[in-house]
Each structure stands twice: as C-alpha cells, then as structure tokens.
C-alpha cells in the first residue's frame, strides 16, 4: 500500500508546507483542545508572524489542511483504481467502492487516523472545519454515480452509517491492530470487509427497490 507523503521526496519543503505538516503532526499528537498559532509556530520552529504571512488565522490554516490530499483522500484518488471502468459499473458496485476506497485511503494516512481518534473525544470549531471537506468529497463522489439509484434511497443515512463504520474500523486498526478479529492492514482481512460492503450495499438497494 502506498502512503501519501506531504512533501515529494527530493523536493524542498515550502514554508507553507512546513507549517501544514507541523499542524498535522500537532493535531495527531495532542488533539484539538490546546491548538493555537503559537503551538503550531513552535512545532514548525518558526515565528508566529510567519504563519500570518501564509494564512489569515488558525481557522484558515486548519481549513487548508483539511482540504488537502494529505489529510483526506480526494475523489480522484478514491476512483483511481477503477477510473477506466467506473462509469460501466452497476450503481451498487459504485456505491460500495466509495467505502472500500475510503478505507484504503485512510489506512494510507496514519496521521489522519490519529487525528480522527482525537476527534472522537472532542468537538469544537476545528473538528467541524475538518469535517466539511469530507462532506464535500462524499457529495462530489456520489454526484458521479451513474445508472439508476432509487430516489427513495436515503443516501445521506447510508453514507453516515457505512462511512462512520469505515472511520471507526480504520481508527481502531491503527490503534490496536485488530478489531473484532479483523486487521484492516492485512490484505485478506480487508478483502473480507470489501465482500461484506458489497453485500450490505446490494441488500440496501434491493430492499429499497422492492418497496
């Protein structure tokens, strides 16, 4: 599994990238409660004034980090594995692929999983800022779904339940390695989860269609 690197190997980091890297490391290590411009500046080894030359304020910095592919897998990445055949896949396969690819994208981002673990324990304006890009990513992905998806399908609820399960399972796999007898870093276990996601999504669509 290939990870997502903040700075491509062999290229110097820009100050902006250095600051975002420091913010991500700080959130992953200490969570949201004591985050501040001063804390980020110390972590980056720079002056607070330097941050304000690149970002309006801390909210702007957190928003930028949340919108970056470093933090969350973009739609292009989620569809990369099936890009050449996505349009021809049946809707149930397209929907299931979103959750499968999200799991893989998160496993490739251990720092994101650490941040999500903190997010489960606290709720403030910073957690909300990191939530918005995830919602937009989901909306963008599902707008590209082709074929007939029943209008009666409560897609918002489906995404909330299965997306929440994907986040929880990946965070637990990061923290303890195994959850419920499954290790999502193991290819065979991840394939088992993929098959269950196929069954769940197919069952949901079948149930909606017969109503």
């Amino acid at each position: 599994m290939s990870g997502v690197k903040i700075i491509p190997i062999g290229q110097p980091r820009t100050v902006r990238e250095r600051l975002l890297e420091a913010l991500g490391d700080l959130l992953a290590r200490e969570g949201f409660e004591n985050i501040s411009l001063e804390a980020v500046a110390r972590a980056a080894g720079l002056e607070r004034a330097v941050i304000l030359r690149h970002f309006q304020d801390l909210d702007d910095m957190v928003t930028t980090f949340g919108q970056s592919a470093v933090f969350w897998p973009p739609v292009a990445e989620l569809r990369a594995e099936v890009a050449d055949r996505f349009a021809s896949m049946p809707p149930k396969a397209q929907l299931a692929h979103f959750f499968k690819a999200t799991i893989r994208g998160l496993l490739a981002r251990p720092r994101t999983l650490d941040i999500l673990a903190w997010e489960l324990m606290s709720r403030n304006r910073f957690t909300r800022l990191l939530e918005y890009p995830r919602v937009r990513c989901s909306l963008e992905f599902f707008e590209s779904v082709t074929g007939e998806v029943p209008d009666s399908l409560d897609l918002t609820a489906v995404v909330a339940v299965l997306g929440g399960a994907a986040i929880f399972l990946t965070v637990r796999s990061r923290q303890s390695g195994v959850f419920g007898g499954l290790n999502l870093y193991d290819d065979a276990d991840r394939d088992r989860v993929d098959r269950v996601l196929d069954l769940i999504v197919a069952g949901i669509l079948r149930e909606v269609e017969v109503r």
Side-chain angles (χ1 to χ4, degrees):
M1 188 188 310
S2 60
V4 177
K5 299 178 176 61
I6 285 187
I7 306 300
I9 294 175
Q11 296 185 16
R13 293 180 301 170
T14 65
V15 172
R16 189 178 178 88
E17 289 167 334
R18 182 176 168 184
L19 289 168
L20 291 176
E21 182 178 7
L23 172 64
D25 287 343
L26 195 62
L27 288 173
R29 187 173 62 250
E30 301 182 16
F32 295 89
E33 294 304 320
N34 298 312
I35 193 72
S36 66
L37 287 177
E38 290 76 15
V40 176
R42 285 195 301 272
L46 297 168
E47 297 293 329
R48 182 180 185 277
V50 174
I51 297 180
L52 295 175
R53 289 203 290 269
H54 293 271
F55 302 97
Q56 294 179 6
D57 50 29
L58 186 55
D59 285 17
D60 180 39
M61 192 178 190
V62 172
T63 298
T64 302
F65 176 73
Q67 292 173 342
S68 71
V70 170
F71 175 69
W72 201 260
V75 171
E77 179 183 331
L78 295 179
R79 290 183 51 174
E81 187 179 341
V82 296
D84 58 340
R85 54 189 173 89
F86 184 81
S88 63
M89 292 166 59
K92 63 181 181 181
Q94 292 179 340
L95 296 179
H97 179 76
F98 171 80
F99 303 107
K100 299 176 191 177
T102 296
I103 287 173
R104 284 163 171 73
L106 291 177
L107 291 173
R109 294 166 169 81
R111 180 170 57 189
T112 294
L113 293 177
D114 290 342
I115 294 172
L116 291 174
W118 284 108
E119 187 179 295
L120 292 173
M121 297 184 290
S122 63
R123 181 74 174 169
N124 56 32
R125 74 179 193 276
F126 301 124
T127 62
R128 287 189 287 274
L129 289 174
L130 290 182
E131 213 171 79
Y132 298 146
R134 308 203 295 261
V135 173
R136 284 199 298 271
C137 177
S138 299
L139 291 173
E140 183 181 346
F141 185 96
F142 289 112
E143 282 175 356
S144 68
V145 169
T146 57
E148 293 298 326
V149 176
D151 292 336
S152 57
L153 176 65
D154 190 346
L155 194 55
T156 299
V158 171
V159 174
V161 172
L162 295 185
I167 290 174
F168 181 79
L169 286 173
T170 50
V171 169
R172 285 300 300 266
S173 289
R174 165 70 172 165
Q175 291 185 324
S176 58
V178 176
F179 177 75
L182 295 173
N183 176 5
L184 293 189
Y185 289 98
D186 179 82
D187 291 342
D189 282 354
R190 204 166 53 250
D191 287 343
R192 291 170 63 190
V193 172
D194 285 352
R195 289 193 291 272
V196 168
L197 284 168
D198 285 333
L199 291 172
I200 291 174
V201 173
I204 291 172
L205 288 176
R206 185 166 54 249
E207 178 69 19
V208 169
E209 288 168 354
V210 299
R211 286 181 180 175

